[in-house]
Amino acid sequence: MPPSPPTPRWHRSRRTTTATFSLLAALVSVVSAVSSIELATAPAAGAASWGPVHAGDFPDPSILQWNGSYYAFATQNFAAASQTINIQESTSPDGVNWTPLPGRDALPTVGAWAKPGDTWAPSVAFNGSEFVMYYSATEATAPGDQCIGVATSHTPLGPYTDNSSVPVVCQDGVYFSPTVGGSYGGSIDPDIFTNTSTGSSWLIWKSDGNHVGESTIIWSVPLAANLLAPTSTDPTQLLADDAPWQSGIIEGPDMVQTQTNVYYLFYGGSDEGASTYAIGWASCPSGPAAACSEQSSSGPLLASAPGMSGPGGPDVFKLPTGQFAMAFAAWQGTTIGYLSCGIRPMYLADLSFDTGVTPPTPSLTPDPAGGTSPAANPTCPGPSPPPPGYWQVASDGGVFTFGAAGFYGSTGSMRLNKPVVGLAPTPDHRGYWLVASDGGVFAFGDAGFYGSTGSIVLNKPVIGMIATLDGHGYWLIASDGGVFAYGDATFYGSAGSDNLAYPVTAAAPSFLGGGYWMADANGQVLPYGNAVFEGQPAFAPGGYRITGMTGTRSSNGYWLASANGNVAGFGDAAPYGSMYGQALNGPVVGITATPDGAGYWLQGSDGGIFTFGDAPFLGSMGGLPLNAPMVGIAST
């Protein structure tokens, strides 16, 4: 029988790891009161060297073989700064040498239920009379989750048309939802599977649970003979996110049937925007009709290797020779993230099976004919950084703005139960949250309220907060190392039960929010998720008490700020300077990096601002009378 849904956990949505280039440009910097978001990471080394087989960005490829030719369809091109194409297309005579079709859109108009310009993961098949495309898109109305639609065409290249007013599958609790009940955050990543022995077809997909703080599950449901709709509202749970390396996310399913009727489920797991993203597999004795058995518990089948980082979105097909091949997307080389001018071209692997074991174990190697069409990065200077600005926040919740930072409200005139300890802006910088030491959260501007610990008795006070990249969640950090995750903030672990010798006084998120660091007053650094430990001071006595932390753009380093104005860099954090040895009117209480990571600001408790590297001075409250001392700083 299908497994029961796992206990809900806080996970990050796939939608927050990749977005359109224009949206990402607006999200250059999500800076909390204690840090800023980083924009790159590096892959782990592997034995094979990989080269792309398709020029340009081509995520989540789906391959259709028809009348001796191959057709590939992919998620929209996020690296294109000008033209939005919902579904990309490419053709090949042999499945290896591909010719992109720039400017063509297989799905020029999405269904009436969907927003254009946010279209993902197509799957295309022929039903005997027309071609059928399942695709993911974002709902045009609340709650705005991703759902699955279906479109048809009389030719393989389209254009495909979706005449539906509602999606086919959407586990959001509003539209038709083939599920055991409740909302699973939407449905994405459809895969059409046809059993060659029985002729029956199934739709396989992922419920987008990590978008709403639930576990992720891969589901299946039988399809009508024409492939246009499910024939049941009772789906089967095939697989859940129960392996540690998956970090609570499995997605992009693809089921494969061998000549001996052995069934495999390949999928992507972990954070799509990081080098930890990888491809795993499960064995499915009954195909899509019953639960599969995870075979990648100890590690993925294919992980980052020389030439590519973060492989995912697998799609298996046969070459003219009969050889199984797997198409997948990965960040080219070690450049991860569209903000860093990275792209995700299509790669190709030969898929083989070791028949000496049961079930036969799959293995992937670079196709020997692959890598002949290198995917050169498009001209990409990167998005222009936002106008500089910063917010200063005082313990009474007073907010002071400079440069491009806007004022959206404060608690300066309110009677608070506990003092404010930090501020975190929203991604578009049109709002912010304040957090108090009891974990009370105050939302201003376009900041949404996702929960707080204001009514909970805490073991230790909250010292700060970190916003997620999309602004739909946040972490609250307590002085004992406890972490409280709300909205779409993934819980990666905490030190709340570790009985730390010194209180936690600072924290910072790692690459695209896929993890975080915490630092205690003595300088001990505690990494979680994909945050990498890069070093720490031997100890920080007296005036060296750590009061702030912020990461580098590469996520391979961080700065720690001390109360006496000292700044210590670790990993690739450059030494831009500090206030150590200079007379201060008040201790340093925070540090935040500039959007490009080439500088930082220090915040003094008296309102003084100190700039280093490319951080401009835009004004401060230093020397002016304050009702309460400053406790933090955040930048645009």
Side-chain angles (χ1 to χ4, degrees), residues 167-455:
V168 175
V169 174
C170 192
Q171 294 156 295
D172 67 345
V174 178
Y175 284 125
F176 167 66
S177 302
T179 178
V180 293
S183 172
Y184 284 75
S187 306
I188 67 173
D189 296 351
D191 173 50
I192 305 169
F193 170 76
T194 298
N195 190 312
T196 57
S197 299
T198 65
S200 61
S201 295
W202 297 69
L203 183 68
I204 302 171
W205 75 92
K206 167 223 176 179
S207 54
D208 203 20
N210 49 304
H211 170 50
V212 292
E214 300 284 348
S215 297
T216 55
I217 299 171
I218 292 176
W219 305 78
S220 67
V221 69
L223 288 173
N226 64 6
L227 308 181
L228 296 180
T231 60
S232 169
T233 58
D234 184 20
T236 298
Q237 296 181 42
L238 299 182
L239 199 66
D241 54 25
D242 53 8
W245 69 269
Q246 297 163 354
S247 301
I249 300 174
I250 54 174
E251 58 191 16
D254 183 57
M255 184 160 283
V256 177
Q257 177 184 9
T258 68
Q259 294 93 330
T260 55
N261 291 330
V262 179
Y263 301 88
Y264 297 84
L265 181 67
F266 297 99
Y267 62 87
S270 190
D271 182 352
E272 185 187 19
S275 65
T276 54
Y277 201 55
I279 294 173
W281 70 286
S283 59
C284 306
S286 301
C292 300
S293 176
E294 177 65 73
Q295 301 294 320
S296 298
S297 296
S298 60
L301 174 66
L302 182 65
S304 296
M308 58 95 171
S309 301
D315 189 69
V316 175
F317 63 101
K318 282 188 177 181
L319 298 174
T321 60
Q323 167 71 45
F324 277 112
M326 177 185 287
F328 62 91
W331 296 106
Q332 183 175 345
T334 60
T335 303
I336 298 177
Y338 294 111
L339 284 173
S340 299
C341 298
I343 56 173
R344 297 180 70 218
M346 184 169 71
Y347 290 76
L348 195 65
D350 282 345
L351 172 61
S352 303
F353 300 93
D354 180 0
T355 57
V357 295
T358 302
T361 303
S363 61
L364 296 169
T365 56
D367 187 276
T372 58
S373 179
N377 276 302
T379 300
C380 177
S384 299
Y390 44 78
W391 294 269
Q392 294 180 284
V393 61
S395 63
D396 64 350
V399 176
F400 307 92
T401 65
F402 299 92
F407 179 78
Y408 303 104
S410 77
T411 63
S413 60
M414 297 170 58
R415 184 180 181 88
L416 302 176
N417 293 327
K418 294 292 181 179
V420 166
V421 294
L423 177 151
T426 57
D428 61 4
H429 309 130
R430 295 177 181 173
Y432 42 72
W433 298 270
L434 304 183
V435 62
S437 64
D438 62 353
V441 174
F442 307 91
F444 298 95
D446 65 358
F449 178 78
Y450 300 104
S452 77
T453 63
S455 60

Side-chain angles (χ1 to χ4, degrees), residues 535-554:
Q536 63 187 32
F539 59 93
Y544 284 89
R545 179 175 58 89
I546 302 302
T547 57
M549 182 180 193
T550 191
T552 64
R553 179 178 174 130
S554 70

